[in-house]
Amino acid sequence: MKRADVLLISIVLIAALAFLVPRWLGDDKGGPGKNLVANITVDGKLFKTVQLTKEEQTIEIRTDRGYNILKVHDYGIEMYDADCPDKVCLGFGKITQPKQTIVCLPHRVLVEIAGTSGGDEIDGYVQ
Amino acid sequence: MAMSSKESATALKRTVIIAIFAAVAVVLSIVEAQIPLAGMGLMPGAKLGFANIMILTCIFFLRGRDAFVLVILKTLLTAFLLGTFSSLLFSLFGSLLSFVVMFLLVRFGRKKLSVIGISIAGGLAHNTGQLLAASMVFNSTSILYYLPVLLVTGIVTGILVGFAVRYLVASLSKISLFEEFLN
């Protein structure tokens, strides 16, 4: 190892941690009362926006490339089934926090969790 | 183009080395595809990148265009054998970016960086290239959410690959097939 190696490792580590640490410390947890939504895009176009509820919902996406079945439950969303060749999308598990994503590269499906839809956050806390 | 027998012998040796390296790289890719990294909390689809051992070693011994052929061969063969054609474009983008970075560093940065640093840079370029290709296809930057974690894992696997290359280059240098490619 030379000095430049150590320098390279340190710079990249610091840059990565600068993004990771706020994420770990941040109070960005999902759950009840957060009114999170998941934006589902296919081929870069918005397919559907769903509210992440406690109740179970099933979303089916059928395109020429194949199908993806998403399930919403317990304030999170997960890829339940897909006929893509690599099944990588099934490995993401259930995502519950804003900015987390599920990607199915072969089917060009992208699921991303976002805050309250429309930016009208106050509505989210009305009892 | 007429070649002397010495030239054609060298060309044959290059071809043999590329073929052997491609075979080993494909086997390494298949082996690492069996390791369930997603179960360890990493981004699904993430790989250890051990095939990079062969590509970096090839850059050390042979010319840039030979290593380029190896990269293309390895990516195509892996896609054929693992049936991951749909992500071929992404792995090609990552592999080529990683190859370019490592090639330039081996040729021009050898005084500053050791094999380990070059291997780390190559791994980081691979991860970044794939995520950039994906974000271009999806027309969305949200997939870059995984970049920081991939940078950290890229450093770890880059160090492992770097050590492997160091020992491999030292051992191969003693074999007569590689004698004339030493520099």
Side-chain angles (χ1 to χ4, degrees):
Chain A
M1 296 258 256
K2 295 185 185 171
R3 256 179 63 193
D5 294 338
V6 181
L7 197 67
L8 173 74
I9 296 174
S10 329
I11 291 174
V12 177
L13 265 185
I14 290 168
L17 286 176
F19 283 98
L20 286 172
V21 169
R23 212 181 275 173
W24 291 329
L25 299 177
D27 183 29
D28 241 7
K29 299 274 181 290
K34 287 280 184 180
N35 270 353
L36 296 175
V37 294
N39 292 316
I40 304 163
T41 51
V42 180
D43 255 332
K45 288 184 216 71
L46 189 66
F47 174 79
K48 201 177 177 185
T49 300
V50 284
Q51 190 91 34
L52 299 186
T53 53
K54 183 153 179 36
E55 297 76 42
E56 196 170 292
Q57 302 174 52
T58 309
I59 300 115
E60 209 179 306
I61 306 161
R62 281 190 184 276
T63 60
D64 315 336
R65 296 193 181 93
Y67 70 87
N68 291 76
I69 296 170
L70 286 154
K71 260 193 182 164
V72 171
H73 63 93
D74 299 303
Y75 308 106
I77 186 164
E78 68 175 320
M79 189 67 80
Y80 183 72
D81 193 19
D83 65 346
C84 55
D86 58 10
K87 308 282 184 208
V88 164
C89 52
L90 301 180
F92 282 84
K94 194 179 87 166
I95 56 169
T96 54
Q97 294 172 33
K99 295 208 178 92
Q100 282 188 312
T101 53
I102 296 176
V103 194
C104 185
L105 278 184
H107 290 174
R108 306 279 189 268
V109 173
L110 175 73
V111 181
E112 187 195 4
I113 298 190
T116 330
S117 53
D120 207 355
E121 294 203 358
I122 304 215
D123 279 355
Y125 297 96
V126 169
Q127 298 287 308
Chain B
M1 191 168 57
M3 278 196 284
S4 72
S5 66
K6 190 179 179 305
E7 275 174 337
S8 67
T10 308
L12 184 62
K13 277 182 188 168
R14 280 201 184 101
T15 316
V16 169
I17 293 174
I18 294 172
I20 296 172
F21 277 21
V24 178
V26 169
V27 169
L28 286 173
S29 302
I30 293 173
V31 169
E32 70 179 17
Q34 315 304 320
I35 304 171
L37 280 181
M40 300 177 210
L42 283 178
M43 185 197 183
K47 301 274 160 54
L48 291 172
F50 286 155
N52 212 16
I53 296 172
M54 303 319 293
I55 291 164
L56 186 49
T57 309
C58 186
I59 295 176
F60 267 99
F61 282 113
L62 303 183
R63 300 165 302 180
R65 68 192 98 150
D66 301 318
F68 178 77
V69 171
L70 176 64
V71 171
I72 303 287
L73 266 180
K74 173 243 151 196
T75 314
L76 280 178
L77 285 173
T78 315
F80 267 119
L81 286 167
L82 294 174
T84 49
F85 262 107
S86 44
S87 38
L88 176 66
L89 204 71
F90 301 97
S91 37
L92 204 58
F93 200 87
S95 304
L96 284 179
L97 191 64
S98 158
F99 161 70
V100 170
V101 166
M102 290 194 298
F103 177 73
L104 292 177
L105 285 178
V106 168
R107 290 296 181 270
F108 304 109
R110 282 294 282 131
K111 289 205 182 74
K112 294 233 167 67
L113 283 171
S114 75
V115 190
I116 296 162
I118 294 171
S119 150
I120 293 171
L124 296 179
H126 194 280
N127 289 343
T128 316
Q130 276 195 316
L131 279 190
L132 281 180
S135 69
M136 275 193 271
V137 166
F138 284 108
N139 200 10
S140 154
T141 52
S142 60
I143 197 166
L144 296 178
Y145 177 86
Y146 292 99
L147 187 58
V149 178
L150 284 178
L151 288 181
V152 176
T153 57
I155 291 178
V156 177
T157 60
I159 292 173
L160 296 177
V161 168
F163 273 107
V165 172
R166 178 183 282 178
Y167 287 113
L168 192 58
V169 169
S171 310
L172 290 180
S173 301
K174 293 177 193 142
I175 300 176
S176 61
L177 176 65
F178 291 87
E179 246 166 29
E180 61 183 286
F181 301 114
L182 291 175
N183 40 31

